[in-house]
Amino acid sequence: MNIYLLVRIKFILGILVMILQIHILGKYEFSINTPLNQIQNYVLGGIIGGVIYNTSISILTFLIFILVWSLVVIIVKLMINIKFIKSLVVGNPVVLIRNGVVNVANCAKVGLSAEQLMLHIRMEGLTSTKEVKSAIMETNGKLTIIDMQSATPKFPIISNGKLNQDILELIGHNETWLLTYIKEQGIESIQDVFLGEYVNGELYITEYPKVK
């Protein structure tokens, strides 16, 4: 087979597999920066870039390579709701400041210096850590800061059936209060809640559709 035709076919197959991954996993997964997405892009780019010009590797072998890697990524994505897998692959939000008290160990853990922390605080229009109710490093590396005057946290209390204990503590409530509230709404468990938002002292619940 002509070398240029071989390269063209491999390139087209690589693009088609990437499009297939986007359709299966969803566009949002490819728009965020997580450790898994970085590894996925590096490996897929290495497979396509390293193999596409190698004439000793057949089209069938190339196709098997990229399909096996795509299968691995899809399996991990499907398992991402398992707490251990999510913590290992995506990571968890890290609380850097709570009620004006800086957690130095967590700052060191995420590689944030005192100067960088204060820069983020100043960018929010604040002048001191004492004005910060909560500063949380998200899994994509962005820092979300909530000031002491804020009545509405910037994170949900419940997301995808998982309780955010840190936010619950920030609003001054406990799990018993939360469970009592959702049961009053006719919801049996936190796992049945898609999204729980606390806005201006009110809790708004969006539950998963009930299976008929």
Side-chain angles (χ1 to χ4, degrees):
M1 184 181 292
N2 182 283
I3 183 173
Y4 296 108
L5 179 59
L6 183 63
V7 169
R8 190 178 300 118
I9 292 173
K10 287 181 179 178
F11 178 76
I12 292 172
L13 286 174
I15 294 298
L16 289 176
V17 169
M18 291 181 67
I19 293 173
L20 177 64
Q21 286 189 14
I22 291 173
H23 281 288
I24 292 176
L25 301 175
K27 295 179 181 179
Y28 177 73
E29 289 295 333
F30 286 82
S31 67
I32 58 176
N33 184 28
T34 65
L36 178 60
N37 286 350
Q38 289 186 28
I39 293 171
Q40 174 191 345
N41 294 335
Y42 291 153
V43 174
L44 188 59
I47 291 173
I48 295 175
V51 174
I52 195 171
Y53 298 110
N54 191 333
T55 56
S56 64
I57 298 178
S58 67
I59 293 175
L60 179 59
T61 303
F62 171 69
L63 187 59
I64 291 173
F65 281 164
I66 55 179
L67 287 179
V68 168
W69 174 245
S70 297
L71 181 61
V72 170
V73 171
I74 290 170
I75 289 174
V76 173
K77 292 287 187 180
L78 293 175
M79 297 174 63
I80 208 69
N81 283 330
I82 300 175
K83 188 174 181 179
F84 170 75
I85 299 295
K86 183 176 182 180
S87 177
L88 180 65
V89 175
V90 179
N92 296 307
V94 179
V95 178
L96 306 181
I97 302 175
R98 177 178 290 168
N99 295 324
V101 179
V102 180
N103 189 319
V104 179
N106 281 352
C107 288
K109 179 181 177 181
V110 300
L112 193 70
S113 68
E115 290 82 4
Q116 292 169 326
L117 179 63
M118 289 306 301
L119 173 62
H120 283 284
I121 290 173
R122 289 194 297 272
M123 288 171 63
E124 293 294 322
L126 306 175
T127 59
S128 170
T129 57
K130 301 304 178 185
E131 299 177 56
V132 178
K133 178 187 269 187
S134 175
I136 301 175
M137 179 69 74
E138 302 196 51
T139 55
N140 63 358
K142 291 185 178 179
L143 186 61
T144 300
I145 295 175
I146 306 169
D147 66 77
M148 288 290 190
Q149 307 304 317
S150 177
T152 301
K154 296 180 181 180
F155 292 90
I157 295 178
I158 303 172
S159 59
N160 299 318
K162 301 290 190 303
L163 171 64
N164 191 330
Q165 191 67 47
D166 289 329
I167 298 302
L168 194 58
E169 292 177 7
L170 281 173
I171 63 174
H173 290 291
N174 55 34
E175 193 169 342
T176 301
W177 169 83
L178 181 61
L179 288 171
T180 301
Y181 183 89
I182 65 173
K183 286 183 184 296
E184 288 175 353
Q185 311 304 309
I187 302 171
E188 290 299 318
S189 169
I190 291 174
Q191 284 73 30
D192 298 325
V193 177
F194 173 71
L195 181 65
E197 304 172 277
Y198 191 78
V199 181
N200 296 323
E202 295 290 334
L203 182 59
Y204 297 93
I205 297 293
T206 303
E207 62 179 312
Y208 283 109
K210 292 187 183 341
V211 179
K212 296 183 180 179

